[in-house]
Amino acid sequence: MTQLEPDRGDEACSVYDRAVPVGPDVLRVTANNPSPFTSWGTNTYIVGTGTLAVIDPGPDDAEHLKLLLSIIGDRSVSHIFVTHTHRDHSALAAGLKATTGARTAAHGPQRRLKPTGGQGEMLIEAGIDFTFMPDLVLHDGDVVGGDGWSIEAIHTPGHAANHLAFGLVGTGTLFSGDHVMGWSTTIVAPPDGSMAAYIASLDKLLDRNHTLYLPGHGAPMTQPLDRVRTLRAHREMREAMVLTRVRDGDRTVPDIVRALYSRTDPALHGAAGLTVFAHLERLIERGLVRATGQATMDGLYELV
């Protein structure tokens, strides 16, 4: 059995060689894939003490699989839950399933995407796992029972259309995936991502009473509803800023990105452009902005 140590907060997220307890009968194992988009790395969670559940197996990495199997030991795994089909969350599901015989469970496979144009399109395609196909398709409100645990699927589209959060029934714990993270705001990248859906999903979580969020990246959140409210306010503020830039004459996504993300690493401007485009889509839905032609990353925008 791999050594365990108490969670010390953010710094414990960079522990890559052991499991970290983050709740009753919940262990976090962080994949060694740190980046500007993954923080310290992708969090895999192991739930239970007898027959286990694994949430977000992580990237297709042999060392991460080896560590997970070491922690699992001679116990059985009945289910592998996947929050969404981005490679850093779902790609290892096939390898873990082949070794453990567990069933994979998710909202569904990744849908094919229509082109959006711009430099962000390659970023979207590179990060998506088109090969994942769940054994068990979960819909909003479905509950899967296991050995001493029950997990509820909560459909939270926005970051991805097939994104699920998972509630650990009877504990107040929510595995929030990439929908709510403590270390960063979430990238919302059309066409699979939707800002309107993302904000609606935040509102959905505000109506629930979870007291601990365990995210796909970063440390646990012990004041999660405050974090949700902060994220929602930030998105509304950012959208107001995008509208102001269009009002002041910026007509393209790159123009708006340069104005609003001037202090951001240029390497992240592609991701920022996707989020700006998502806000423009919502502004179009609200009747405040229109595209002069097709609404794409390369399109032209103006006030209505």
Side-chain angles (χ1 to χ4, degrees):
M1 181 67 66
T2 303
Q3 178 185 356
L4 307 180
E5 68 175 26
D7 192 0
R8 299 186 305 274
D10 287 0
E11 67 270 21
C13 295
S14 60
V15 171
Y16 301 119
D17 62 349
R18 68 201 69 157
V20 177
V22 289
D25 299 332
V26 180
L27 304 176
R28 183 185 67 216
V29 186
T30 304
N32 193 0
N33 62 329
S35 78
F37 300 106
T38 62
S39 182
W40 296 272
T42 302
N43 292 329
T44 298
Y45 295 100
I46 299 174
V47 179
T49 57
T51 299
L52 308 174
V54 174
I55 297 175
D56 277 352
D60 187 9
D61 178 84
E63 289 301 313
H64 191 54
L65 177 60
K66 181 180 178 181
L67 177 57
L68 290 177
L69 294 175
S70 172
I71 295 164
I72 291 166
D74 59 2
R75 294 175 292 178
S76 297
V77 179
S78 62
H79 293 83
I80 301 166
F81 294 91
V82 173
T83 59
H84 62 296
T85 46
H86 288 170
R87 292 181 190 276
D88 60 316
H89 292 260
S90 62
L92 196 61
L96 188 60
K97 173 184 173 180
T99 308
T100 64
R103 299 180 73 195
T104 55
H107 188 262
Q110 175 66 47
R111 68 180 184 182
R112 289 290 168 177
L113 306 180
K114 64 183 180 181
T116 60
Q119 61 174 323
E121 190 170 325
M122 292 181 61
L123 179 66
I124 298 172
E125 292 284 340
I128 287 177
D129 181 1
F130 288 103
T131 67
F132 177 80
M133 181 72 68
D135 299 314
L136 178 62
V137 174
L138 299 177
H139 302 287
D140 186 54
D142 285 350
V143 176
V144 178
D147 182 8
W149 49 262
S150 293
I151 290 176
E152 180 187 4
I154 303 165
H155 190 209
T156 47
H159 175 65
N162 63 1
H163 192 285
L164 293 175
F166 294 112
L168 190 56
V169 177
T171 70
T173 297
L174 182 79
F175 300 92
S176 59
D178 282 3
H179 183 60
V180 179
M181 301 179 290
W183 77 284
S184 174
T185 56
T186 298
I187 294 174
V188 179
D192 193 45
S194 161
M195 190 60 68
Y198 176 76
I199 291 175
S201 294
L202 291 177
D203 289 339
K204 184 176 187 175
L205 293 187
L206 287 173
D207 290 333
R208 305 180 72 94
N209 60 353
H210 294 105
T211 55
L212 174 68
Y213 281 14
L214 300 177
H217 308 276
M221 288 166 274
T222 57
Q223 301 284 331
L225 296 185
D226 288 347
R227 177 61 177 164
V228 173
R229 294 185 189 96
T230 297
L231 290 173
R232 197 189 191 292
H234 172 79
R235 287 304 186 189
E236 294 289 1
M237 177 189 70
R238 182 65 71 182
E239 192 157 295
M241 294 169 71
V242 170
L243 181 61
T244 296
R245 295 313 309 175
V246 175
R247 182 180 293 118
D248 289 348
D250 288 344
R251 301 197 63 204
T252 70
V253 169
D255 286 343
I256 297 170
V257 169
R258 280 190 291 271
L260 298 186
Y261 294 88
S262 60
R263 298 182 180 179
T264 300
D265 183 346
L268 300 178
H269 279 193
L274 291 168
T275 296
V276 165
F277 180 42
H279 279 299
L280 287 167
E281 282 192 329
R282 185 166 182 255
L283 287 166
I284 290 171
E285 292 174 22
R286 295 172 60 195
L288 300 175
V289 167
R290 65 184 168 216
T292 58
Q294 191 173 3
T296 67
M297 289 281 289
D298 298 323
L300 295 175
Y301 298 90
E302 63 185 16
L303 289 181
V304 170

